[in-house]
């Protein structure tokens, strides 16, 4: 595809590669963009520029990149899994932080799917080549319980349960500051950010999004530990909703990380999928699975206690 984009005052002074990354589809990486600039597929006012070129208000950026990702092969990998539960239909994993759930164009190894293909030798093809068995997701830097379907029956049942909001998802999160209301509901519609494609945002007319929360611990004026239930399951919902009410998650480098977070030893957003409830796809029995809290989350709470005690 070839498209022209006008540089506005907001982007004046940006690097050319940063501008382009914001405009192209999510699967296109910054390294791909930099290569495309050097090869003349991305030009400024008809002229070739370097990826580091500082664009100016009013310039026209012409971008020529593929409109769909290339086909990629996903291979099994012997990666240890923290299995909470498994039978012939489903497998429930306590996903560690920093692991992507399924492959993307610029990351085809080290994902949960790669590990599952090795562990479940008949998973290939269940629900798609890139996302076999996947019926819901957790962000790369979010830890916790995730269920995967091991056959078509389970995939169809679980997909419908998530779509119909029959599952129950409970999270814990460390959020910045002290909330005035110790329990409540955040009801604000979400959609893709109108200008920054990697973000979601509260947007009038967006999809209905409802988050229920209860504060279960406070660390003086620094932070709060929230118990969270989702009535809907939108992309980045918890992260955007708490940012929206002025209390972003600690360590969230997209929606509100601060330099102070490093003092607590925090290296990722403090969000953990603690409990997942669902109806078993074969027996229809209600089941709940708990994912133990990871060590980095525990460490952050210990460090918050120490700092706020002084």
């Amino acid at each position: 595809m070839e498209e022209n984009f006008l540089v506005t005052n907001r982007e004046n002074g940006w690097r050319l590669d940063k501008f382009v990354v914001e405009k192209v589809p999510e699967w296109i990486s910054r390294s791909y963009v930099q290569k495309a600039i050097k090869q003349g597929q991305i030009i400024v006012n008809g002229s070739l520029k370097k990826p580091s070129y500082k664009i100016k208000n009013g310039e026209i950026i012409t971008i020529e990149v593929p409109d769909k990702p290339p086909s990629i092969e996903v291979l099994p990998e012997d990666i240890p899994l923290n299995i909470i539960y498994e039978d012939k239909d489903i497998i429930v994993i306590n996903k560690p932080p920093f692991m992507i759930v399924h492959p993307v164009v610029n990351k085809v190894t080290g994902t949960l799917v790669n590990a599952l293909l090795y562990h479940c030798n008949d998973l290939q093809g269940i629900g798609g080549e890139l996302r076999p068995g996947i019926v819901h997701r957790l962000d790369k830097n979010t830890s916790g319980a995730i269920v995967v379907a091991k056959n078509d029956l389970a995939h169809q049942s679980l997909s419908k349960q998530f779509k119909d909001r029959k599952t129950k998802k409970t999270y814990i999160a460390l959020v910045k500051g002290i909330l005035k209301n110790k329990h409540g509901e955040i009801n604000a519609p979400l959609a893709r950010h109108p200008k920054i494609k990697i973000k979601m945002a509260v947007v009038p007319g967006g999809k209905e999004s409802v988050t229920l929360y209860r504060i279960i611990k406070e660390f003086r004026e620094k932070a709060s530990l929230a118990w969270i239930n989702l009535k809907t399951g939108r992309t980045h919902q918890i992260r955007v909703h708490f940012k929206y009410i002025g209390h972003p998650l600690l360590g969230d480098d997209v929606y509100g990380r601060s330099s102070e977070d490093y003092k607590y030893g925090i290296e990722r957003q403090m969000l953990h999928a603690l409990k997942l409830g669902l109806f078993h796809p074969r027996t229809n029995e209600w089941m709940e699975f708990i994912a133990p809290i990871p060590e980095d989350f525990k460490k952050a709470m210990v460090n918050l206690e120490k700092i706020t005690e002084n």
Side-chain angles (χ1 to χ4, degrees), residues 43-239:
I43 56 178
V44 180
N45 283 353
S47 301
L48 297 177
K49 301 293 183 183
K50 294 181 178 181
S52 59
Y53 172 75
K54 299 299 179 62
I55 60 177
K56 302 177 183 63
N57 188 19
E59 288 182 325
I60 301 294
I61 314 297
T62 302
I63 301 174
E64 182 182 350
V65 293
D67 57 2
K68 61 180 180 179
S71 59
I72 56 177
E73 184 179 12
V74 184
L75 299 175
E77 290 183 73
D78 186 5
I79 301 171
L81 290 172
N82 186 346
I83 299 171
I84 300 172
Y85 173 85
E86 182 179 12
D87 61 24
K88 66 180 181 179
D89 297 305
I90 63 174
I91 181 169
V92 182
I93 305 294
N94 185 1
K95 187 188 85 68
F98 310 115
M99 174 182 268
I100 297 174
V101 170
H102 60 77
V104 292
V105 170
N106 59 337
K107 176 66 174 175
V108 297
T109 62
T111 74
L112 180 61
V113 163
N114 295 106
L116 287 165
L117 288 174
Y118 184 90
H119 180 80
C120 310
N121 54 21
D122 58 349
L123 191 65
Q124 191 74 51
I126 306 299
E129 292 183 5
L130 292 183
R131 307 180 185 185
I134 302 301
V135 292
H136 70 127
R137 292 188 297 171
L138 295 176
D139 294 337
K140 174 184 176 182
N141 292 343
T142 297
S143 55
I146 180 170
V147 63
V148 177
K150 295 177 68 175
N151 52 51
D152 287 328
L153 178 147
H155 192 274
Q156 292 170 13
S157 172
L158 292 173
S159 295
K160 190 173 191 305
Q161 288 185 55
F162 279 100
K163 181 180 178 181
D164 296 344
R165 303 177 187 174
K166 296 291 180 64
T167 59
K168 184 177 180 181
K169 293 173 282 187
T170 301
Y171 294 75
I172 56 171
L174 286 169
V175 303
K176 187 176 181 63
I178 303 300
L179 282 71
K180 180 179 179 182
N181 297 319
K182 306 308 176 187
H183 61 87
E185 176 183 291
I186 307 171
N187 188 338
L190 299 181
R192 186 68 58 185
H193 194 288
K195 294 182 178 179
I196 306 174
K197 68 181 181 65
I198 65 169
K199 287 188 175 185
M200 302 295 288
V202 173
V203 177
K207 292 183 179 180
E208 178 194 20
S209 305
V210 182
T211 302
L212 306 176
Y213 73 89
R214 175 166 51 90
I215 301 304
I216 55 178
K217 185 175 179 60
E218 294 177 341
F219 302 89
R220 290 196 181 176
E221 78 283 0
K222 296 295 184 182
S224 302
L225 178 62
W227 179 275
I228 301 164
N229 287 115
L230 295 183
K231 293 184 70 174
T232 57
R234 310 301 181 200
T235 301
H236 297 180
Q237 178 174 318
I238 293 172
R239 299 163 65 190

